[in-house]
Amino acid sequence: MYEAEFDGRGGRIRWTEANGGGGGADSAHPVTVYVHGLGAMSAVYHAHVAAHPALSDRRSLFVDLPGHGISDRPADFGYTLEDHADALADALDTAAVSGARVVGHGMGGAVSVVLAHRRPDLVSGLVLTEANLDPAPPPTAGSSSIAAYTEEEFFKGGGFDRILRRFGPTWAATMRLADPLALHRSATGLVRGTDPTVRRMLLGSPADRRYIQGTLSGELPGAAELTAAGVRVIQAPGAGHNVMFDRPDVLVAAVVGDTV
């Protein structure tokens, strides 16, 4: 386990690594950085992907964003998308990583795009699995459901427990390890979005960009505009939001760079 200070007050962002014998200065492959979604943990969602024979020779970092997993959860931190991206940058700087291929899921995908926008030196490629590109997700989305509570209602009024029950045991397994205050602020930041939007940042990014959409999640809004801007939009047949569980082969191929 590794760590880096991210808030100037001793808060630590932490990650685990699989070296794989690759990803160094002489490696043919960039370091791969995995970033989880809202209420999740990176290794839980991505370790099996990184262990695939096509990827197992690469240096892989599994980063838990502030307030999630093994990272610290300071009560005076903002947990906006920009805050998370800056903390992720602190982790990569400490790990001596640049030009990484960043694999981000949901909120982690949005954070990865913001990172590429703010620190393009750190990111050579983006592989996004159903990343949040726009503010104000549908009311049924997990982030919107969490942000519908006030911070006080969610943190002290039973909102956190109701959300755990509503979205079932799989997501609850990692969400219950997140700090409720950090979870609410992260969801609120995701719903509020960024200026410019994550979509606009992605459209203008010089990084190699791949976006995976599960077919069970419906059509990707604005797919034609993304494609026209050079973003490779990949369909994952039979997959829902958690593409890495439903169709890990599609995600592996996108990270490797193969045709899917």
Side-chain angles (χ1 to χ4, degrees):
M1 184 173 66
Y2 303 87
E3 62 184 20
E5 185 175 347
F6 67 87
D7 63 352
R9 295 181 293 276
R12 302 282 173 166
I13 183 171
R14 297 186 176 89
W15 66 96
T16 55
E17 292 197 23
N19 190 344
D26 298 326
S27 174
H29 305 298
V31 175
T32 307
V33 178
Y34 295 90
V35 188
H36 61 82
L38 180 69
M41 296 175 64
S42 285
V44 172
Y45 277 70
H46 293 115
H48 64 293
V49 174
H52 189 279
L55 295 172
S56 60
D57 63 339
R58 307 186 183 197
R59 182 186 177 196
S60 300
L61 278 64
F62 307 96
V63 184
D64 285 345
L65 296 171
H68 293 72
I70 57 176
S71 290
D72 286 348
R73 46 205 66 199
D76 55 355
F77 192 64
Y79 299 98
T80 65
L81 292 174
E82 295 92 341
D83 289 335
H84 282 304
D86 289 346
L88 181 56
D90 289 332
L92 299 190
D93 283 338
T94 298
V97 170
S98 61
R101 179 163 292 176
V102 184
V103 183
H105 177 227
M107 183 186 79
V111 170
S112 301
V113 174
V114 177
L115 173 70
H117 180 74
R118 293 165 82 92
R119 290 289 306 275
D121 58 305
L122 297 179
V123 182
S124 64
L126 291 164
V127 180
L128 310 173
T129 53
E130 299 215 351
N132 296 82
L133 301 182
D134 305 301
T140 54
S143 56
S144 296
S145 299
I146 293 170
Y149 291 93
T150 66
E151 189 171 288
E152 182 76 10
E153 290 169 342
F154 189 76
F155 187 52
K156 296 182 179 179
F160 182 46
D161 290 337
R162 287 191 287 273
I163 287 293
L164 289 177
R165 292 193 298 269
R166 175 177 172 181
F167 286 99
T170 300
W171 194 14
T174 54
M175 195 194 305
R176 67 191 178 195
L177 302 178
D179 178 72
L181 183 64
L183 184 65
H184 185 272
R185 289 182 183 173
S186 295
T188 301
L190 191 58
V191 170
R192 181 170 57 248
T194 56
D195 184 16
T197 65
V198 173
R199 183 180 294 272
R200 301 313 305 177
M201 293 183 199
L202 180 61
L203 289 170
S205 174
D208 179 75
R209 297 153 296 163
R210 299 161 190 265
Y211 190 106
I212 306 175
Q213 178 80 357
T215 57
L216 299 182
S217 298
E219 294 294 323
L220 172 63
E225 182 183 30
L226 293 173
T227 300
V231 180
R232 180 149 180 232
V233 177
I234 300 167
Q235 296 291 320
H241 183 61
N242 292 326
V243 173
M244 70 293 298
F245 295 149
D246 298 336
R247 290 296 306 270
D249 58 314
V250 175
L251 179 53
V252 167
V255 176
V256 171
D258 288 347
T259 300
V260 180

